[in-house]
Amino acid sequence: MRIVYLGSADFSLPTLRSIDKSDHQLIAIVTHPDKIAGRGKVLTPSIVKIEGKILGYPILEPINLNSEETIKLLKDCSPDVFVVVAFQKLPDSILNIPRIGSINLHPSLLPIYRGAAPIQWSLLNGDSNTGISIIELSSKIDAGNIIFQKKYKIEEDDNYGTLSNKLSKIGA
């Protein structure tokens, strides 16, 4: 299967590495453009860009996902599927490019905690369980059909860092 991967955060790295080790063909990685960061105001690439370069994949850093140039670049990849992890909402013009569709890894048992900060909300609300959901992407945020879910019992010593790490590996 021809995959275009879209991600930007640490949470998305295990999935990227899993795809890299699979029998599927990773065509390109889409991530956010480099950003000014830190006190030194240094232009800094996303962790996904760094990892993608190490793995040797083409990196796309569109400024505007709705631009004709971006849409053409993605269509030219002839993807079967987009795999989206910790990226951003995709416009309809992008969602419908892959032959099969676009899927997303979300760190909650949807429909619980749609949108931003699902891990933080799970911890703040004192939930005893959380998990991951893999969904078909749709026009609405975290509202597509659920393809797969896996439950995880939150341990007493879990915090955002440990829980994010565990859920990212379960999702991968």
Side-chain angles (χ1 to χ4, degrees):
M1 189 171 340
R2 294 174 56 86
I3 298 173
V4 172
Y5 175 84
L6 298 91
S8 63
D10 292 355
F11 182 84
S12 63
L13 289 179
T15 300
L16 174 59
R17 291 174 184 139
S18 181
I19 294 168
D20 174 61
K21 291 176 184 169
S22 76
D23 292 333
H24 300 290
Q25 186 180 7
L26 185 54
I27 303 304
I29 295 170
V30 179
T31 192
H32 295 295
D34 298 353
K35 294 180 182 177
I36 301 291
R39 290 183 182 182
K41 297 186 178 182
V42 176
L43 194 59
T44 306
S46 76
I47 191 76
V48 170
K49 179 179 180 179
I50 294 167
E51 185 73 11
K53 283 188 166 196
I54 290 168
L55 296 172
Y57 292 105
I59 309 292
L60 307 176
E61 300 173 89
I63 295 168
N64 178 0
L65 287 176
N66 284 310
S67 75
E68 287 182 28
E69 179 186 1
T70 300
I71 292 168
K72 182 180 179 337
L73 276 170
L74 292 171
K75 283 182 178 179
D76 287 348
C77 291
S78 300
D80 293 317
V81 68
F82 286 160
V83 174
V84 183
V85 184
F87 192 60
Q88 70 185 65
K89 184 181 183 303
L90 299 182
D92 288 342
S93 57
I94 299 289
L95 273 180
N96 300 317
I97 290 174
R99 183 179 62 82
I100 296 171
S102 300
I103 61 172
N104 173 247
L105 168 61
H106 183 78
S108 83
L109 296 171
L110 290 170
I112 302 169
Y113 306 129
R114 286 188 169 128
I119 297 171
Q120 293 92 325
W121 281 115
S122 184
L123 291 167
L124 285 170
N125 288 333
D127 294 346
S128 57
N129 293 296
T130 188
I132 59 95
S133 299
I134 297 174
I135 62 169
E136 293 177 17
L137 282 175
S138 69
S139 307
K140 296 180 182 178
I141 292 180
D142 301 328
N145 293 328
I146 295 171
I147 299 168
F148 176 80
Q149 289 186 311
K150 176 120 182 171
K151 195 173 186 179
Y152 172 78
K153 183 179 182 324
I154 299 174
E155 297 177 15
E156 194 172 305
D157 61 342
D158 273 330
N159 57 39
Y160 172 78
T162 60
L163 192 53
S164 178
N165 186 47
K166 291 171 184 176
L167 292 176
S168 71
K169 289 177 181 171
I170 291 168

